[in-house]
Each structure stands twice: as structure tokens, then as C-alpha cells.
Amino acid sequence: MLVLAVLVLRRLPVVVLLRRSLPPLHGLVDAAFVGWFGPIGVGALFYVAFALRITGLQQVWTIATLLIAGSVVVHAVTATPLTRWYGAYRHRTEQAPARGRDVTA
């Protein structure tokens, strides 16, 4: 539950809230897609190693590496289905203005 809470509450809401300030994002779906794919990785590993050295608390290492591993697994499992769905969504939305237009006129 901790892994999912961090993944859902860490980056996703920020990107969704700032989507109007991020020109490449064209709406809520784009912002949600970009916000979801922000895995916890090498930077977090550096910071946890630093925190472990400073504090000496083994729990810091245990919890952080659990979050990093969980992030890798969740993003690996969701990457293909969400990318396929997003590609189909973008294809539909890009084709939508062409529908209903008379191309013979």
C-alpha cells in the first residue's frame, strides 16, 4: 500500500495541477500519463544512501529500497498496457476533427 500511495501521491497530482503551465501537455489525460511514468530510481537510491550514512538508521534503507523496487515492478507491469491505451487514445483524438468533414468538397 505504501508503494502505491507514494506513486499516486508523489508526482501525479503535481503534474496534473501544473498541466496548464506545461505546454506539451494538451489536457488531463496527457498530464495523467506523464505524471504516472515517473519511476523512483537512481536519484532516490543516492539520497537514501546519503541518509543512511548520516543517520545510521537501517530502516531508511529498507523502506526506500522497498519503494524503489515496488516502483520498478509497478511501472514495468503498467508500461505496455497504459502505453497502448494512450496511443489509441491519442490516435482517436487526433482523428476526431477529420470525422464529419466532407473531404470531397
Side-chain angles (χ1 to χ4, degrees):
M1 293 305 287
L2 178 62
V3 172
L4 290 177
V6 168
L7 292 177
V8 171
L9 300 174
R10 181 181 57 94
R11 182 177 175 188
L12 186 60
V14 173
V15 174
V16 169
L17 289 173
L18 295 176
R19 71 183 179 273
R20 296 188 202 290
S21 302
L22 303 169
L25 302 179
H26 300 291
L28 183 61
V29 172
D30 288 352
F33 185 79
V34 168
W36 175 250
F37 287 106
I40 303 168
V42 176
L45 198 56
F46 169 78
Y47 289 123
V48 74
F50 182 72
L52 178 62
R53 184 173 149 207
I54 298 298
T55 66
L57 296 172
Q58 186 62 37
Q59 295 89 346
V60 170
W61 179 261
T62 303
I63 293 169
T65 55
L66 169 69
L67 290 171
I68 293 166
S71 171
V72 169
V73 170
V74 168
H75 285 98
V77 169
T78 61
T80 299
L82 288 179
T83 302
R84 285 183 179 161
W85 176 85
Y86 181 73
Y89 169 81
R90 294 297 295 164
H91 181 73
R92 282 191 313 272
T93 58
E94 289 170 3
Q95 299 301 319
R99 293 181 192 153
R101 278 194 290 172
D102 185 8
V103 292
T104 59

